[in-house]
Each structure stands twice: as structure tokens, then as C-alpha cells.
């Protein structure tokens, strides 16, 4: 009898403990999110996901533009450098090399007519230079003096000046261009070189595969000239 009462009491105690445990567990659980709130959060999440994808696309686009801008800067820099190099060549401010002709002119005696003496004059050198320019010589020098648009070949007393520097015979003219065209322009029948030889001057013309011409060494000064912007149409 005592054992039966004890079993009932034990079962009752266990049931009571289970009820207390269930009550505490229920109290510790977080309240469930209402359905409306869950829907709002889902919509917000989708909106944020879409916005993030858009920002990532914008970032990629900006990175691409930045890369193209950097590449464009490098290309622009190289273009400017190339233009500077080309301008320096055209202005005669840099050493150049290429095929062309070498012309040596000296005076001599005992020429035709007999006993005549014809000294090489500044105008003879100028005529030779003009003939070579007409034959499209790209670069010229006389006795190491580079000829540019402002170069002067003139008589100064008993000697000839080029770029205000005295030169002495023999006179060496170097010209870069088509060697055959340059030589033919000077040796044309009845032309300048034939006349100079008839007047008693020795003129030797050599075609060469490589001629080196030094740069113009004097400073370029323009006191009265200034660039003018092109008028817009």
C-alpha cells in the first residue's frame, strides 16, 4: 500500500517537473515575427540587393573609364613626345642621319678659259644649296654648320660665313635625301655644277648610304614673331 502511494507521488512529481520545464521553455522563446513585418523585411532585403548590384555595376564602369583615361594619358604623352621629336628634326635642332650626297668644292687655276682663276664665292655655295633643296633634300650642312631656314651664307671680307661662323675651303656640303635624285639635280647637263667646272672649280659629288649631319648649335631667338591662334569659323 505504501509502495503504491509512493509510485503515485513520484509520477505526480515528475509530471509537475515536466510542466514547470515546459512553462519555462515557452517563456524563454522569442516571440515570432509577425507576418506583415516579415514581408517588409523581405522587400527591404530585395531592394538592398538590387541597390548593391547597381553600385557594383557603377564601380566597374568607373574602373573601366579610369583605366581608359590612364591609357589615353599615356598615348597622349607619347604623341606629344613624338611631335616634339619631329619638330626638333624639322627645326634642325637634333643630329640626323640618312642616305644622301657629299659635295666637295674647291678653287683651282689653269681652267677654261686658259689662265683664269675662279674662287668659290658665297653665292656659289648658296646656289648649290638651293639646287639640293629643290631636289627635296631633308637636311643640309656646310663644313659642319647645319642649315636651317634662318641660316645665312654670306661673304665677310675675304672669307665666307655660315651661321656667322667662318668656314674655309675645301667646302663640304652634306645633304640627306634620295641620293640619285640629289646627284642628278646637280649633274644635269648644262646645269650649275657643269658651269662651275667650266669656270675652273673642282666639284666632286659622292652618293653615300649614310650621312650624319650635326644639329644647329646657335640659339633661336624671335624678337618680333609670335604665334597667332587660328580664327574660328
Amino acid at each position: 500500500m505504501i509502495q503504491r502511494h509512493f509510485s503515485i507521488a513520484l509520477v505526480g512529481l515528475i509530471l509537475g517537473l515536466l510542466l514547470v520545464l515546459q512553462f519555462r521553455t515557452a517563456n524563454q522563446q522569442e516571440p515570432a515575427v509577425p507576418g506583415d513585418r516579415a514581408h517588409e523585411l523581405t522587400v527591404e532585403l530585395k531592394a538592398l540587393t538590387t541597390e548593391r548590384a547597381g553600385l557594383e555595376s557603377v564601380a566597374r564602369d568607373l574602373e573601366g573609364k579610369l583605366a581608359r583615361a590612364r591609357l589615353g594619358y599615356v598615348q597622349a604623352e607619347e604623341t606629344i613626345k613624338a611631335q616634339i621629336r619631329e619638330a626638333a628634326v624639322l627645326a634642325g635642332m637634333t643630329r640626323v642621319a640618312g642616305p644622301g650626297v657629299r659635295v666637295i668644292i674647291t678653287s683651282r687655276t689653269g681652267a677654261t678659259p686658259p689662265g683664269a682663276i675662279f674662287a668659290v664665292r658665297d653665292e656659289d655655295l648658296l646656289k648649290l644649296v638651293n639646287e639640293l633643296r629643290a631636289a627635296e633634300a631633308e637636311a643640309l650642312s656646310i663644313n659642319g654648320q647645319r642649315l636651317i631656314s634662318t641660316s645665312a651664307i654670306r661673304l665677310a671680307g675675304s672669307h665666307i660665313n655660315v651661321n656667322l661662323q667662318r668656314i674655309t675651303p675645301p667646302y663640304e656640303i652634306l645633304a640627306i635625301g634620295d641620293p640619285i635624285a640629289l646627284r642628278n639635280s646637280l649633274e644635269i647637263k648644262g646645269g650649275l655644277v657643269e658651269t662651275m667646272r667650266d669656270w675652273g672649280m673642282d666639284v666632286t659629288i659622292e652618293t653615300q648610304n649614310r650621312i650624319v649631319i650635326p644639329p644647329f648649335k646657335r640659339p633661336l631667338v624671335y624678337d618680333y614673331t609670335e604665334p597667332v591662334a587660328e580664327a574660328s569659323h
Side-chain angles (χ1 to χ4, degrees):
M1 190 64 149
I2 296 175
Q3 184 177 3
R4 181 179 179 185
H5 288 294
F6 178 76
S7 298
I8 292 173
L10 181 59
V11 170
L13 178 60
I14 292 173
L15 289 175
L17 290 174
L18 290 174
L19 289 174
V20 172
L21 179 61
Q22 183 178 2
F23 178 76
R24 289 183 177 179
T25 302
N27 288 338
Q28 291 176 356
Q29 289 179 350
E30 295 181 357
V33 178
D36 293 342
R37 181 56 179 165
H39 177 70
E40 292 176 2
L41 292 175
T42 301
V43 173
E44 290 181 6
L45 178 61
K46 289 182 179 179
L48 290 174
T49 302
T50 303
E51 183 178 358
R52 176 180 176 181
L55 292 174
E56 289 177 348
S57 177
V58 171
R60 288 193 297 269
D61 182 60
L62 291 176
E63 288 176 354
K65 289 181 179 179
L66 180 60
R68 290 192 295 272
R70 288 173 178 168
L71 180 60
Y73 172 80
V74 172
Q75 292 175 340
E77 184 181 17
E78 290 301 321
T79 300
I80 292 173
K81 288 181 179 179
Q83 291 175 345
I84 292 174
R85 290 193 295 268
E86 182 179 357
V89 172
L90 294 175
M93 305 305 293
T94 185
R95 187 168 177 258
V96 293
V101 295
R102 177 174 179 260
V103 184
I104 304 296
I105 313 102
T106 57
S107 304
R108 62 182 170 88
T109 60
T112 304
I117 301 176
F118 289 87
V120 179
R121 301 165 299 175
D122 55 332
E123 59 188 78
D124 298 321
L125 298 179
L126 182 58
K127 289 177 181 178
L128 284 170
V129 167
N130 287 338
E131 287 288 341
L132 292 168
R133 280 177 172 158
E136 300 185 353
E138 298 177 357
L140 289 154
S141 69
I142 299 179
N143 285 32
Q145 290 295 320
R146 179 72 171 270
L147 300 181
I148 62 173
S149 60
T150 58
S151 292
I153 304 171
R154 62 178 58 178
L155 189 65
S158 60
H159 59 271
I160 298 173
N161 277 358
V162 177
N163 295 335
L164 301 180
Q165 298 295 316
R166 179 177 178 175
I167 62 173
T168 57
Y171 302 110
E172 178 191 58
I173 299 177
L174 299 178
I176 293 177
D178 182 341
I180 303 302
L182 295 176
R183 181 165 189 163
N184 290 342
S185 70
L186 297 179
E187 293 189 331
I188 186 171
K189 186 173 180 58
L192 176 61
V193 169
E194 183 176 313
T195 301
M196 293 175 70
R197 287 169 176 164
D198 290 342
W199 286 354
M201 303 176 200
D202 286 325
V203 183
T204 303
I205 304 172
E206 304 172 353
T207 58
Q208 297 186 0
N209 294 327
R210 179 177 171 82
I211 288 176
V212 179
I213 294 181
F216 183 78
K217 297 177 182 178
R218 296 180 61 84
L220 293 176
V221 179
Y222 293 92
D223 294 324
Y224 305 100
T225 304
E226 61 182 21
V228 177
E230 296 183 3
S232 59
H233 297 285

